[in-house]
Each structure stands twice: as structure tokens, then as C-alpha cells.
């Protein structure tokens, strides 16, 4: 029972990390998404840079414009982070085997993180689709605002890019018992646009993230736990927070540096008004490279890295301290 209890606590701690990440990072993410969606088109750049984009959002929409789509992010990332951190911790324990406890091992970290990332991509795809479509709305968008809320966005996406409710009912009544499953798959296909790009981004990026986190945390603890530093309770608390901030922030920047081109492809696939646009992230990146060069493949890099450090630092500190409060023991 103790193992099951610790597993449940890991999921709770992961959820806390997700909430902290959204609070700190969502405004940066909104700017990133707008740059990716509007500065990679054949019509040329809509925004000069991240500062220009931010100022346009604040002038036209106020501070709430920076938090467009945040409600779906809170729900999605709270669940996603719960599964992400919880699954990673559980997979890591299963794969630890005879490896020395307390030291990071690539053979354990990479498969655990990649598996966890692949799993949460199933949740991230629909939540990020609604978030991105809400974020790209505004006065600078050619097509204008179309969605009043994330729920409205999800419903309209299902209606316009899937089979209509009437068609679904007709097919359900006329097909055999095994057919409704395929009908449902047709109904939800629109809400899962960008799924392949999200899968690649999360599997690769989270392997990079946790390798960076585990090794930086290990090295900093080895250095700061040496006899040259005081062992007072005040120092221990400051040390743990400092290590969490640095390791989380650097890991977040490593994640986005490695995967931003895949994220650009995902944003384009999810926000393009043409439902027949290619969903192959490599084809999309090839198209972006021809239009805007290497800079286009890294559109939104500035706000992404500016967001990555504080957002992931907050997530890691929240994760580690929630685990400590819940009594989870880690190496």
C-alpha cells in the first residue's frame, strides 16, 4: 500500500507543478504562439519582434489578452503534469533495477522521460489546439475572432473538422456494433490535429529535459553538500530552492532549444484555417524553411526561452516541495 500511496502523491505533486507553470508562463506562451502562427505565412511578418507582439496584445486586448486560452491550459496542464511527473517517477523506479541509487543514469532517465512524454501528448494535443486557436485571435488576424471560449473552440472544431452530430447518429444506427468506434474516431480527428508533431516534441524534449534536470541537480547537490558549506536549516532551505530554480530553468531552456522547430510545425498545423493542410511536421518545417529560412523554424525563440526559465523553475520547485510536504522520499 505504501507504494500505491507514494504513486498517488507523485501525481498530486505533478499537478501542483503544472498549475505553477501556467501561472508564470502562459503570457510568454501567448506571444510565442502568435509569432509562430503569423510570422511564418506567405503574407510576411505581422509582428516585428516579441516586444512588438506583446505591446499590440496589451494595447488591443489588455492584460487578459496575454491569458487567452489559459483556462484550457490550467485544466490540461494540471492533468498533463500530474501524469507526466507521476509516470516519469514510476517508470524510473521500475527501470532503476541494479543501477546505483542516487546517481543519474541515462539508461533509466531517457526511456522513462520519453515514455512519459509520449503518454501526455495524447492530452496535450486537444488542449493545445484550443489554446493556440484562442491565442492567435485578435485584431491582427486576417480571419478575425471566431471563438468565444476554449469550449466553444473545441465544439466548433469538432463540428467543422469532424463528422456532424446528425451524420454520426445516422452512421451509428445503420452500422454494426463495431462501427461506431470508427465513427467516433472520425468525429474527433479535428481536435487531434498536430498529434504527431506533439508526440515527437514531447518524447524528444522531455528526454532532454529530465537528463538536464537530473544531472544538473546531482552535480549541484554534490558541490553544495560538501563540508565547505554550512549545514544550517536556513541554508538547506535556500539551497534546495536555488537548486530547483536553476535545474528547472536550465532544463526548460534545453527542452525548447531542442524542440522549438517541432513546436512551430505543431502551431501551424493546429491554427491553419485549411483543414486539409499537411499534418506531417517535417513537410511543414520544409515549407517554413523555404518561406522564412532557419529563423522561421525558430519563430518565437525569444519569448519561449524567456518563458522557459521562470515557468520551469516554478514547476520544479512546486514539484519538489509538494513531494516534500507529502512525504515522498527521493534520491
Amino acid at each position: 500500500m505504501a507504494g500505491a500511496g507514494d504513486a498517488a502523491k507523485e501525481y498530486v505533486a505533478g499537478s501542483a507543478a503544472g498549475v505553477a507553470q501556467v501561472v508564470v508562463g502562459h503570457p510568454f506562451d501567448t506571444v510565442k504562439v502568435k509569432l509562430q502562427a503569423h510570422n511564418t505565412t506567405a503574407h510576411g511578418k505581422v509582428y516585428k519582434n516579441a516586444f512588438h507582439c506583446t505591446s499590440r496584445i496589451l494595447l488591443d486586448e489588455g492584460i487578459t489578452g496575454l491569458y487567452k486560452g489559459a483556462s484550457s491550459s490550467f485544466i490540461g496542464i494540471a492533468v498533463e503534469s500530474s501524469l507526466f511527473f507521476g509516470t516519469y517517477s514510476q517508470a524510473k523506479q521500475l527501470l532503476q533495477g541494479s543501477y546505483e541509487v542516487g546517481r543519474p543514469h541515462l539508461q533509466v532517465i531517457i526511456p522513462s522521460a520519453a515514455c512519459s512524454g509520449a503518454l501526455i501528448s495524447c492530452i496535450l494535443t486537444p488542449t493545445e489546439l484550443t489554446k493556440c486557436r484562442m491565442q492567435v485571435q485578435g485584431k491582427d488576424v486576417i480571419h478575425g475572432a471566431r471563438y468565444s471560449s476554449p469550449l466553444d473552440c473545441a465544439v466548433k472544431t469538432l463540428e467543422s473538422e469532424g463528422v456532424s452530430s446528425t451524420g454520426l447518429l445516422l452512421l451509428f444506427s445503420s452500422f454494426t456494433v463495431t462501427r461506431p468506434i470508427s465513427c467516433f474516431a472520425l468525429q474527433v480527428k479535428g481536435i487531434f490535429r498536430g498529434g504527431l508533431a506533439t508526440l515527437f516534441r514531447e518524447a524528444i524534449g522531455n528526454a532532454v529535459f529530465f537528463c538536464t534536470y537530473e544531472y544538473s541537480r546531482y552535480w549541484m547537490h554534490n558541490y553544495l553538500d560538501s563540508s565547505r558549506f554550512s549545514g544550517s536549516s536556513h541554508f538547506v532551505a535556500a539551497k534546495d530552492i536555488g537548486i530547483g530554480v536553476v535545474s528547472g530553468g536550465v532544463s526548460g531552456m534545453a527542452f525548447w532549444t531542442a524542440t522549438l522547430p517541432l513546436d512551430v510545425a505543431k502551431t501551424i498545423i493546429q491554427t491553419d484555417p485549411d483543414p486539409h493542410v499537411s499534418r506531417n511536421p517535417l513537410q511543414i518545417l520544409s515549407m517554413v524553411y523555404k518561406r522564412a529560412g532557419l529563423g522561421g523554424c525558430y519563430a518565437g525563440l525569444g519569448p519561449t526561452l524567456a518563458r522557459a526559465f521562470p515557468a520551469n523553475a516554478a514547476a520544479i520547485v512546486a514539484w519538489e516541495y509538494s513531494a516534500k510536504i507529502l512525504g515522498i522520499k527521493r534520491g
Side-chain angles (χ1 to χ4, degrees):
M1 292 298 293
D6 281 348
K9 290 175 182 177
E10 288 283 8
Y11 290 107
V12 173
S15 184
V19 171
Q21 187 174 18
V22 175
V23 170
V24 174
H26 192 83
F28 295 97
D29 187 66
T30 297
V31 175
K32 178 207 74 172
V33 168
K34 280 189 175 273
L35 288 172
Q36 290 178 343
H38 303 315
N39 278 14
T40 57
T41 66
H43 302 290
K45 291 185 176 183
V46 174
Y47 305 109
K48 297 175 183 177
N49 50 45
F51 292 107
H52 178 230
C53 181
T54 304
S55 64
R56 291 294 296 270
I57 294 171
L58 290 174
L59 286 172
D60 294 340
E61 306 168 59
I63 191 69
T64 56
L66 292 172
Y67 278 92
K68 271 190 173 178
S71 56
S72 65
S73 289
F74 273 116
I75 297 169
I77 292 186
V79 175
E80 172 256 314
S81 290
S82 177
L83 285 174
F84 174 54
F85 284 104
T87 303
Y88 171 73
S89 298
Q90 295 301 300
K92 187 179 166 189
Q93 287 182 19
L94 288 173
L95 295 174
Q96 191 68 44
S98 60
Y99 292 107
E100 180 185 349
V101 177
R103 285 183 64 93
H105 301 280
L106 291 176
Q107 302 94 320
V108 175
I109 298 169
I110 292 176
S112 299
C115 178
S116 180
L119 173 65
I120 57 104
S121 68
C122 299
I123 297 171
L124 276 177
T125 300
T127 58
E128 288 205 1
L129 181 139
T130 57
K131 171 186 71 69
C132 288
R133 291 189 174 187
M134 289 293 295
Q135 287 173 320
V136 298
Q137 294 182 139
K139 293 182 179 179
D140 295 312
V141 185
I142 297 172
H143 300 284
R146 294 179 296 160
Y147 310 116
S148 59
S149 67
L151 178 60
D152 179 53
C153 176
V155 170
K156 286 182 177 177
T157 298
L158 287 172
E159 289 177 348
S160 63
E161 298 181 37
V163 181
S164 69
S165 300
T166 304
L168 184 64
L169 288 173
L170 288 172
L171 289 168
F172 183 90
S173 62
S174 60
F175 283 10
T176 62
V177 70
T178 57
R179 296 296 179 86
I181 296 174
S182 62
C183 297
F184 180 74
L186 287 171
Q187 176 73 2
V188 300
K189 67 179 181 179
I191 206 73
F192 280 95
R193 282 178 70 173
L196 184 61
T198 306
L199 173 64
F200 287 161
R201 186 194 70 181
E202 292 302 309
I204 296 169
N206 287 312
V208 172
F209 176 90
F210 274 115
C211 285
T212 306
Y213 166 71
E214 296 281 9
Y215 277 95
S216 61
R217 180 175 179 269
Y218 175 74
W219 289 328
M220 284 188 286
H221 268 294
N222 272 358
Y223 180 73
L224 294 175
D225 287 342
S226 61
S227 58
R228 75 186 77 178
F229 294 102
S230 168
S232 68
S233 58
H234 295 295
F235 173 77
V236 170
K239 178 196 71 175
D240 288 344
I241 292 174
I243 290 175
V245 168
V246 174
S247 62
V250 170
S251 300
M253 294 178 77
F255 175 104
W256 288 108
T257 300
T259 64
L260 191 64
L262 286 168
D263 189 64
V264 170
K266 179 198 72 71
T267 297
I268 293 170
I269 292 168
Q270 292 184 328
T271 60
D272 195 303
D274 180 6
H276 303 295
V277 67
S278 172
R279 301 188 188 187
N280 184 323
L282 297 181
Q283 288 182 359
I284 294 295
L285 284 176
S286 176
M287 176 192 70
V288 170
Y289 183 77
K290 290 176 182 177
R291 286 178 180 174
L294 187 62
C297 295
Y298 277 89
L301 179 63
T304 298
L305 294 183
R307 164 188 177 266
F309 194 98
N312 286 281
I316 288 296
V317 171
W319 181 49
E320 291 182 344
Y321 266 80
S322 296
K324 187 172 291 188
I325 291 170
L326 292 169
I328 302 171
K329 294 182 180 179
R330 295 202 183 102

